[in-house]
Amino acid sequence: MLQRFFFIFLFGSFLVQTNAQEFGGFPSSTKWKQINSDTARIIFPSAAKTEAQRVAAIIHSMAANANQLGNGLKKIDVVLHNRTTLANGYVALAPFRSEYYLIPGGNNFEFGNLPWTDLLAVHEYRHVQQYNNFNRGWSKAAGIILGQEGQALANALAIPDWFFEGDAVYAETVLTEQGRGRMPYFLNGYNSLWKEGRSYNWMKLRNGSLKDYVPNHYQLGFLLVNYGYLKYGNDFWKKVTQDASAFKGLIYPFQKAIKQHAGVDYKTFRNEALKFYSHEVSRKRDDQKNRETVSNYYFPQVIGSDSLLYLKDSYKAIPAFYIKDKNGEHKIKLRNISNEDWFSYRDGTIAYTAYNTSARWSLLNYSDIILLDIHTGAERKLTTKGKYFTPDIAPDGKSFIAVSVNDSVQSELHLLAKDGTIIKKIPAPEGAFFIHPRFIDNGSIVTGIRGSDARLSLEKLDLQTLTYEQLIPPTTATLGFPTIDKGNVYFVSSFNGSDDIYRLRLSDKKVFQLTSGGTGNYFPSINDDSLTWSAFTSNGFKVQSKALDQLTSNEIKPAEYQKLLSPYEVANEKE
């Protein structure tokens, strides 16, 4: 048995990708500080002190309270980065450390209303708890013999990646006010497969596809982990992972642990789990099984009598801007590499953000505003070495508004002139973050404001007086992607448990629901009393269009803003 065990490790060692240590991540002038406790050492640039204190408090709280995986506790170093625009985070062994990239992305439907630092801290520290509790049996022996790389290899062989990420998503969901497990956007993928009658085998769901859209292991993992807790109790995954990480049964230890503690084999467990979620959706199944290339159409908008502008990518093509008219589809220009799919359009000009790197420092990069002329394809940079997101063009075309993030990871609105100079900086309220600003007219905008309490309001802001008028009070529902037309704000929200399009009448602040019954509707635009948007499907985001008077218009009462409707039941959810 011992020989077989080491054969697995020797074979596996050839499959593990190794990377040289990354040098030159940040300038040597960076001033580092630390918060040192018995559970973690938080290492951070001096400008990010507030974020570091928040991370330290969350980690201390999680470490002090019991978790479902066990009581293992080992101190970890956590490094915070405030000058990279790539929203990410990770935990790794060899050496045991965690790194957080503190600037969030521009699509709040992807990660929700939680402050990005909070989500990172909860999600990544759950990975720390996993490693601390998976150091058992043969995994521990591998660590003793081969060091932390040995434990990392053993854990990877014993426990699938869908559990690592699914359990971390479950933690952020059950331990916070929101989390991705409560978000329709996160669960659209499986809902679209079930609704459209696409029945993929386990290996395809597990490993993905280059041909068909398949949700990733985060979504799959959350559904399976959550089902395990719902069906078999709060200690189910603790027992499974303890046995698996110790290699009880040696070959396929995770599958054998499932059978031991669930009383059914691994295949039955996963089939029953997915059936549990798909049951309600399958009743409303559509017969849509077209196998065209998966393509996504972002922010479609009518710009002429027969012209539709959009950003498109597919499994066969990288992102580019297109116009479709009576003569067919015409490519304007490939989009530069970007951290977001957002763009705005006004009078022949597209504004979007492009990712740029520092020539010297690998953890110093930028997100700058690019202006694209749709007639000539010519581009120019409006900003240089900025950290900008979700720009919008003023009705007169003479100014721009965009979200900017400073080195203290604080959100600001920047009003920019046509030459890129900053006319005005507008700081967010304390602890808050601006979301998706749009011009109402040249002197006012509508913007989301996400508070530190994971609630998001919609506000009208006068750019001269800097006074706010609340349009929608703070809510746990996600909202964004606004567009303005004839005294109305059209936006997307998860008020009803799915992402749908709503209309807010500025004159009396009444809100009306316009779409329902799908698997997510996004990127609304208005032209000549018609609504154009993109609907989420198992073949990607697809363009939809309908006259406003043909859409259902149900008024939503303010009391309904406060409801948090989860797409599925969450195990151990707080009341």
Side-chain angles (χ1 to χ4, degrees):
M1 181 178 293
L2 185 62
Q3 290 177 333
R4 290 171 64 194
F5 174 76
F6 280 108
F7 174 77
I8 292 172
F9 272 91
L10 290 173
F11 177 74
S13 66
F14 290 102
L15 305 179
V16 175
Q17 180 180 355
T18 58
N19 296 302
Q21 185 174 348
E22 186 175 287
F23 292 98
F26 30 76
S28 57
S29 60
T30 304
K31 303 299 182 183
W32 294 97
K33 294 184 178 295
Q34 66 174 332
I35 298 174
N36 209 346
S37 72
D38 56 350
T39 54
R41 180 171 63 153
I42 315 301
I43 303 166
F44 59 96
S46 55
K49 180 180 179 181
T50 300
E51 304 301 304
Q53 291 172 334
R54 181 64 177 164
V55 169
I58 291 172
I59 288 177
H60 181 78
S61 176
M62 289 182 67
N65 293 287
N67 72 85
Q68 295 98 328
L69 297 180
N71 298 319
L73 180 63
K74 182 179 179 182
K75 185 174 178 177
I76 187 168
D77 290 335
V78 179
V79 183
L80 308 185
H81 299 291
N82 65 337
R83 302 182 71 184
T84 171
T85 59
L86 299 174
N88 206 348
Y90 69 88
V91 176
L93 294 167
F96 188 39
R97 85 283 187 194
S98 183
E99 300 195 36
Y100 300 175
Y101 301 161
L102 295 177
I103 296 178
N107 184 355
N108 63 310
F109 287 87
E110 187 173 2
F111 295 109
N113 292 354
L114 281 177
W116 175 238
T117 300
D118 290 18
L119 188 145
L120 276 175
V122 174
H123 184 99
E124 301 306 333
Y125 194 70
R126 183 63 157 213
H127 287 317
V128 173
Q129 292 175 328
Q130 291 165 351
Y131 280 124
N132 284 341
N133 287 289
F134 296 169
N135 189 26
R136 307 171 57 81
W138 285 113
S139 293
K140 185 173 183 178
I144 293 172
I145 297 170
L146 300 175
Q148 290 181 8
E149 291 173 333
Q151 184 194 339
L153 178 58
N155 285 171
L157 289 171
I159 298 171
D161 60 351
W162 65 252
F163 179 84
F164 277 96
E165 296 301 347
D167 179 62
V169 172
Y170 169 80
E172 73 190 47
T173 303
V174 76
L175 296 177
T176 71
E177 294 298 317
Q178 195 181 63
R180 280 174 282 183
R182 294 194 187 95
M183 295 177 55
Y185 192 93
F186 181 74
L187 298 167
N188 279 341
Y190 275 99
N191 282 338
S192 68
L193 296 186
W194 295 325
K195 180 175 172 57
E196 296 168 28
R198 299 187 188 275
S199 181
Y200 297 150
N201 62 45
W202 169 251
M203 293 307 293
K204 188 168 183 173
L205 294 177
R206 174 67 181 82
N207 298 312
S209 170
L210 297 177
K211 178 181 178 183
D212 298 312
Y213 167 73
V214 177
N216 66 27
H217 57 293
Y218 285 74
Q219 290 99 318
L220 176 65
F222 170 74
L223 293 176
L224 296 181
V225 168
N226 184 55
Y227 175 78
Y229 285 128
L230 285 170
K231 176 73 173 180
Y232 299 105
N234 204 36
D235 62 348
F236 173 68
W237 289 115
K238 176 181 178 180
K239 293 184 289 188
V240 168
T241 55
Q242 284 185 349
D243 285 359
S245 59
F247 281 85
K248 291 187 177 180
L250 195 60
I251 305 300
Y252 296 118
F254 190 82
Q255 289 86 333
K256 291 181 179 179
I258 291 277
K259 185 174 183 179
Q260 171 68 28
H261 298 290
V264 297
D265 61 29
Y266 183 54
K267 180 178 180 180
T268 301
F269 168 80
R270 65 187 191 235
N271 287 342
E272 288 181 348
L274 295 179
K275 184 179 179 181
F276 170 81
Y277 297 104
S278 66
H279 179 65
E280 290 298 323
V281 178
S282 64
R283 291 181 182 177
K284 301 173 284 188
R285 182 168 294 171
D286 295 335
D287 187 20
Q288 298 177 10
K289 297 186 179 181
N290 297 326
R291 286 293 194 262
E292 68 265 21
T293 300
V294 176
S295 303
N296 296 297
Y297 296 78
Y298 303 100
F299 296 94
Q301 46 201 285
V302 176
I303 62 171
S305 59
D306 68 345
S307 299
L308 184 71
L309 170 70
Y310 48 79
L311 171 69
K312 185 179 81 168
D313 64 24
S314 77
Y315 280 14
K316 293 183 179 179
I318 60 178
F321 295 103
Y322 295 85
I323 290 178
K324 186 175 183 178
D325 58 25
K326 62 183 180 181
N327 296 317
E329 185 178 73
H330 314 281
K331 182 189 292 185
I332 301 171
K333 192 177 184 67
L334 289 175
R335 188 198 66 182
N336 288 288
I337 296 172
S338 179
N339 295 325
E340 58 186 4
D341 297 313
W342 172 286
F343 76 91
S344 64
Y345 170 81
R346 186 88 66 176
D347 297 330
T349 299
I350 289 172
Y352 72 99
T353 58
Y355 172 79
N356 294 288
T357 62
S358 165
R360 173 64 179 87
W361 309 109
S362 60
L363 288 172
L364 178 60
N365 48 65
Y366 313 100
S367 180
D368 282 306
I369 300 173
I370 305 294
L371 302 181
L372 167 64
D373 187 314
I374 67 168
H375 303 295
T376 65
E379 288 187 334
R380 72 177 179 92
K381 291 182 68 174
L382 184 68
T383 65
T384 302
K385 295 186 177 180
K387 289 181 280 189
Y388 287 103
F389 300 90
T390 60
D392 192 39
I393 308 172
D396 63 6
K398 295 181 180 179
S399 61
F400 305 83
I401 196 79
V403 176
S404 178
V405 183
N406 61 28
D407 284 348
S408 296
V409 201
Q410 296 170 333
S411 173
E412 301 174 337
L413 288 177
H414 284 191
L415 184 64
L416 303 160
K418 292 184 71 172
D419 63 358
T421 58
I422 299 174
I423 301 171
K424 186 174 293 186
K425 291 183 180 181
I426 306 167
E430 185 175 357
F433 209 92
F434 287 116
I435 301 291
H436 299 174
R438 287 282 197 189
F439 280 98
I440 297 174
D441 51 44
N442 294 321
S444 62
I445 65 168
V446 63
T447 182
I449 296 184
R450 184 188 66 203
S452 58
D453 60 354
R455 294 176 181 270
L456 202 161
S457 65
L458 193 65
E459 309 275 346
K460 180 180 177 181
L461 172 62
D462 187 300
L463 295 175
Q464 297 302 316
T465 64
L466 300 186
T467 56
Y468 291 93
E469 179 185 351
Q470 191 172 92
L471 303 177
I472 293 178
T475 171
T476 52
T478 306
L479 57 85
F481 299 134
T483 189
I484 317 299
D485 182 74
K486 298 176 183 176
N488 295 283
V489 179
Y490 297 84
F491 64 98
V492 180
S493 181
S494 60
F495 286 147
N496 66 349
S498 63
D499 290 333
D500 276 303
I501 297 172
Y502 294 80
R503 174 171 66 95
L504 182 145
R505 203 159 55 198
L506 288 170
S507 60
D508 57 12
K509 302 181 185 177
K510 288 188 176 181
V511 174
F512 303 86
Q513 182 175 347
L514 302 182
T515 66
S516 63
T519 50
N521 297 290
Y522 304 91
F523 323 128
S525 67
I526 301 293
N527 180 266
D528 291 337
D529 297 321
S530 289
L531 176 69
T532 302
W533 73 96
S534 294
F536 189 99
T537 76
S538 63
N539 275 321
F541 287 101
K542 299 303 181 186
V543 177
Q544 308 288 315
S545 187
K546 206 166 187 178
L548 286 171
D549 59 11
Q550 295 178 2
L551 291 165
T552 301
S553 187
N554 298 320
E555 185 177 352
I556 305 299
K557 300 298 183 182
E560 297 182 57
Y561 304 163
Q562 305 307 318
K563 295 179 181 178
L564 180 59
L565 300 177
S566 301
Y568 300 115
E569 179 185 357
V570 177
N572 304 304
E573 188 170 19
K574 298 176 183 177
E575 295 295 335

